[in-house]
Amino acid sequence: MNEKFASVIGSKQPEAANIVIFGATGDLTKRKLLPALAHMHRWNLLGPHSRIIGAVRENFSQSKWKNYVHDALLQFFPDAVLNPRSWMRIKDKLDVVVGDLAEPELYQNLARTLREADGRKNVLFYLAIPPSWYETVASNLRKAGLADEKEGFRRIVIEKPFGMDLASAEALNQTLQAHFDETQIYRIDHYLGKEAVQNLMIFRFSNSVLEPLWNRNYIDHVQISVAESLGIEYRAGYYEKAGALRDMIQSHLIQVMSIVAMEPPLSMDGDDVRNEKVKVMRAIRRMRPEDVHSHAVRAQYGAGAVDGEQVPAYREEQGVAEDSATETFAAVKLYIDNWRWQGVPFLLRTGKRLPQRVSEICIRFKSPPQTLFDLDDAAMHNNELIFRLQPDAGMRLTMTAKQPGLSMDLRGIQLDAPYAMAGSSMPEAYETLLHDVLIGEAGLFTRADGVEECWRAVEPIMEAWAREKNINMYPAGSFDVPGMDALMEGCEGGWRDLSDTEHAY
Ligand code: BG6
């Protein structure tokens, strides 16, 4: 294995496995899974006898599947196919099973194909299909005897959304658990696979200097921001029903928040980590209906300009209702009712068609207890620890120092630490996650109880918003969201300016 890559992805080598992709010709497979698998293959992280089996509809022959994979890689990971030897090695691993997802025949074909794979008993089923198919596929796999772990592992991977509210999430969990044991189920939240998110856990629990500060005594509040410049693209069908709260806050942002707030786990074992995260989720204060107005803000983008280009309003996007009240921006102020975090606001915000794509965590520390210097507002610099997750992963500590010269003027300084070391290879989130499924490390995956707790945390907001017919607007390409600043009431300083990228991280 390439040593640089091994050092970032871990040193445990996966055993050979059959990787069965349902939804083999879908967008997720093309854009994420195939490039991730090809990349892992390049670094010998797939196991020498692994196979990638596409479950495809009739009329999709072996050669058509191979051509499909070739073209997908040419578009999203050209290196894998431009070198003929590299492509031949991948091509040798490809196989297909043909059939309709709803018909037993597909699963019988799959069982036969797997039986022929001597010595490759491990199977990972990746459901890159709409959630409405999860039950059908899971029950058919069980009926065909493919869920039993008699010979090697059987793991099933699913993608969000895990339900659209608490009731549907509980129903989905029960359905899956009727066919697979919870230990066989890997629910992907791709934010947890991001390098910088994993670094957050390492950073917190490997640097003793942080622990004394990491609590209500020193931290004023925490901001977690995920801004996107893209609109909803071609996903109106899903997004109209989801909106930013369900799409991003219920999943990615609360997951990230739980890593910021969790207690040190007993070990890095999957369940030890998830136990601590779930404790945080359970401690999130349920918002009272009368508080939703002051603790949660939603808005929708109108027409505007992003990166100098005119873009249409959300309501003008294809497939969106003319009077849609779906939020494309959501911000919430949450509290974690436990010993460490009592009274510390966690502000989570996300939106589409914002000025630029940037995700970061900002831990803002309290001001010193006494002001010794003659400060005006401009000279005040709260200490901030910033974890930039994307596009350029890195950390920054902001501090206050003296302005050189005879006066006692103050200035803010930044200590920057870019995350990527020169020459190191940063795996994509899907590579890390696929690798972890193959080696059976579940810590980066959401457990059933975690999914349900995240829904509980946002349900009061969902319910209140469902009763409102009107929604505020913000111009695409701006942060002019009505009510956003009011959420910061009682917090030191305002929202962080996400365009503050003066220094490379
Ligand atoms: C997905 C959401 O889970 O995450 C999308 O459904 C969103 O709406 C995406 O665009 C953001 O992911 P990333 O990795 O680009 O920040």
Side-chain angles (χ1 to χ4, degrees):
M1 190 193 309
N2 173 296
E3 275 178 25
K4 278 182 203 154
F5 198 73
S7 67
V8 282
I9 206 160
S11 51
K12 209 163 156 185
Q13 183 75 7
E15 295 168 39
N18 295 284
I19 299 161
V20 182
I21 306 178
F22 294 94
T25 54
D27 213 46
L28 175 68
T29 306
K30 186 162 72 175
R31 285 171 187 273
K32 300 288 182 188
L33 302 184
L34 293 173
L37 288 167
H39 210 243
M40 289 168 71
H41 181 49
R42 165 171 287 194
W43 299 126
N44 294 329
L45 284 168
L46 271 195
H49 301 294
S50 293
R51 281 191 307 172
I52 302 168
I53 305 174
V56 292
R57 290 207 192 98
E58 272 164 57
N59 305 327
F60 219 94
S61 61
Q62 225 15 293
S63 62
K64 207 166 164 190
W65 165 238
K66 290 184 179 177
N67 287 340
Y68 180 88
V69 175
H70 180 274
D71 292 350
L73 291 176
L74 192 58
Q75 200 178 350
F76 294 103
F77 182 25
D79 274 9
V81 289
L82 291 177
N83 174 334
R85 273 185 55 212
S86 150
W87 166 237
M88 285 313 290
R89 286 179 61 221
I90 295 171
K91 195 174 162 192
D92 277 353
K93 293 199 164 301
L94 300 175
D95 211 339
V96 279
V97 283
V98 176
D100 188 309
L101 285 183
E103 300 301 330
E105 207 189 333
L106 169 66
Y107 305 88
Q108 287 152 12
N109 289 343
L110 180 56
R112 197 170 36 252
T113 304
L114 292 173
R115 266 198 308 277
E116 286 161 11
D118 282 346
R120 281 160 272 165
K121 305 292 185 199
N122 298 322
V123 191
L124 181 165
F125 303 108
Y126 203 114
L127 274 53
I129 48 179
S132 51
W133 282 101
Y134 290 171
E135 175 166 10
T136 309
V137 174
S139 79
N140 275 316
L141 287 172
R142 160 68 52 202
K143 279 186 213 145
L146 292 171
D148 295 332
E149 291 201 305
K150 279 181 292 199
E151 308 169 285
F153 67 69
R154 295 285 191 272
R155 296 177 186 146
I156 186 166
V157 181
I158 58 167
E159 288 271 341
K160 71 180 259 285
F162 309 125
M164 291 302 271
D165 54 20
L166 177 58
S168 53
E170 285 172 340
L172 174 63
N173 284 339
Q174 281 162 17
T175 302
L176 291 172
Q177 288 166 350
H179 306 298
F180 285 83
D181 187 78
E182 177 63 23
T183 55
Q184 296 174 277
I185 305 170
Y186 288 71
R187 295 176 191 79
I188 288 222
D189 183 308
H190 77 281
Y191 262 66
L192 300 181
K194 289 185 191 278
E195 270 291 300
V197 175
Q198 293 174 68
N199 177 47
L200 179 62
M201 203 160 352
I202 309 268
F203 193 75
R204 271 203 61 195
F205 301 128
S206 310
N207 294 297
S208 57
V209 68
L210 292 177
E211 180 55 21
L213 308 177
W214 211 259
N215 55 52
R216 61 193 294 273
N217 298 327
Y218 292 95
I219 293 178
D220 182 74
H221 69 267
V222 175
Q223 298 180 25
I224 301 175
S225 307
V226 176
E228 297 183 84
S229 54
L230 289 177
I232 52 154
E233 312 240 88
Y234 47 86
R235 296 164 73 217
Y238 155 74
Y239 202 85
E240 271 282 84
K241 291 190 221 103
L245 183 70
R246 284 183 175 86
D247 184 43
M248 297 294 288
I249 292 189
Q250 184 274 342
S251 48
H252 307 318
L253 277 83
I254 295 189
Q255 288 290 340
V256 171
M257 172 177 128
S258 67
I259 298 178
V260 174
M262 71 196 271
E263 295 301 315
L266 285 178
S267 74
M268 287 311 285
D269 173 78
D271 271 330
D272 284 342
V273 172
R274 295 187 298 183
N275 287 344
E276 293 308 330
K277 286 174 58 194
V278 170
K279 277 191 213 163
V280 172
M281 295 164 187
R282 286 182 56 201
I284 297 174
R285 191 183 301 165
R286 304 292 164 242
M287 220 177 266
R288 296 177 309 176
E290 60 270 33
D291 290 338
V292 171
H293 192 63
S294 54
H295 285 65
V297 167
R298 66 174 193 156
Q300 188 186 83
Y301 63 81
V306 179
D307 281 338
E309 261 189 46
Q310 286 300 316
V311 295
Y314 175 70
R315 287 178 184 175
E316 288 160 22
E317 302 269 17
Q318 203 183 355
V320 172
E322 279 173 10
D323 58 350
S324 171
T326 299
E327 79 283 357
T328 58
F329 176 95
V332 300
K333 187 181 195 171
L334 300 176
Y335 288 90
I336 297 170
D337 283 333
N338 64 15
W339 194 291
R340 187 186 285 266
W341 296 113
Q342 193 55 243
V344 178
F346 281 74
L347 295 125
L348 278 43
R349 64 174 164 167
T350 184
K352 298 209 180 272
R353 287 290 189 222
L354 294 172
Q356 77 260 66
R357 176 175 185 256
V358 43
S359 301
E360 64 164 49
I361 302 160
C362 166
I363 316 287
R364 187 167 290 154
F365 292 88
K366 294 184 176 180
S367 299
Q370 191 189 2
T371 308
L372 293 176
F373 307 100
D374 188 18
L375 296 175
D376 58 22
D377 276 358
M380 287 279 296
H381 299 283
N382 280 86
N383 293 137
E384 286 176 350
L385 185 57
I386 294 151
F387 293 88
R388 177 79 53 127
L389 308 181
Q390 56 192 27
D392 41 358
M395 286 167 286
R396 167 179 288 184
L397 179 63
T398 65
M399 310 202 65
T400 303
K402 185 179 174 301
Q403 184 79 42
L406 295 179
S407 69
M408 282 297 274
D409 290 343
L410 308 185
R411 67 184 170 126
I413 55 167
Q414 285 103 20
L415 309 180
D416 284 331
Y419 177 63
M421 292 167 293
S424 67
S425 178
M426 291 251 281
E428 284 286 325
Y430 274 91
E431 290 163 40
T432 304
L433 294 168
L434 279 163
H435 175 263
D436 278 13
V437 182
L438 288 170
I439 61 171
E441 293 249 354
L444 295 181
F445 298 85
T446 321
R447 215 169 47 190
D449 52 350
V451 172
E452 293 172 15
E453 289 304 337
C454 289
W455 280 117
R456 273 193 198 98
V458 297
E459 270 218 329
I461 310 171
M462 279 163 42
E463 283 164 10
W465 286 356
R467 287 191 293 273
E468 289 171 20
K469 294 278 167 279
N470 296 325
I471 185 160
N472 284 324
M473 297 285 162
Y474 60 99
S478 81
F479 255 115
D480 296 335
V481 179
M484 188 176 95
D485 290 342
L487 278 188
M488 293 301 287
E489 201 183 302
C491 301
E492 291 191 24
W495 285 105
R496 233 185 75 74
D497 176 4
L498 298 181
S499 63
D500 172 22
T501 52
E502 187 192 335
H503 298 259
Y505 285 87

